Amino acid sequence: MKKYFGIFAVMLAIAASAFTVNHKNTKLVGSSFSYNLYGQPGQDNASNLNNPANYTLVSTLTCPGGAAHRCGVDNATDDGFGHPDFTKSYSIRVRN
């Protein structure tokens, strides 16, 4: 009986591992992310600004001068899903 229990436990572990999420390797520093809600209603709400899902990984972040609204973040760490990891350091980029 113990033999069957052991086989069952191994099969259960294998089945459970099939449903785990594999995170991509994170980029340590230097990633740029564009703020998706720039120019839309609610763009300055703290809940929107602090939600990593509202940012998209870009090769180069271009923000013309200004100081009114966030247009993205620079020098951020990728969380492994193409969004910034706000628990690490980053630089806010703003424009009018």
Side-chain angles (χ1 to χ4, degrees), residues 52-73:
N54 292 332
Y55 294 81
T56 302
L57 181 64
V58 294
S59 59
T60 304
L61 182 62
T62 55
C63 295
H69 305 286
R70 184 179 297 186
C71 70
V73 294

Side-chain angles (χ1 to χ4, degrees), residues 29-63:
V29 178
S31 297
S32 297
F33 299 88
S34 175
Y35 183 49
N36 300 334
L37 299 180
Y38 177 79
Q40 297 182 14
Q43 69 178 350
D44 296 323
N45 292 347
S47 61
N48 290 333
L49 291 171
N50 297 322
N51 184 353
N54 292 332
Y55 294 81
T56 302
L57 181 64
V58 294
S59 59
T60 304
L61 182 62
T62 55
C63 295

Side-chain angles (χ1 to χ4, degrees), residues 29 31 33 49-50 55 70 72-77 84-93:
V29 178
S31 297
F33 299 88
L49 291 171
N50 297 322
Y55 294 81
R70 184 179 297 186
V73 294
D74 262 337
N75 298 322
T77 302
D85 182 354
F86 287 137
T87 63
K88 309 268 193 284
S89 65
Y90 59 93
S91 302
I92 297 172
R93 298 283 302 270

Side-chain angles (χ1 to χ4, degrees), residues 1-12:
M1 187 70 170
K2 289 183 182 180
K3 179 180 176 181
Y4 293 118
F5 180 71
I7 293 171
F8 175 73
V10 170
M11 291 180 66
L12 182 61

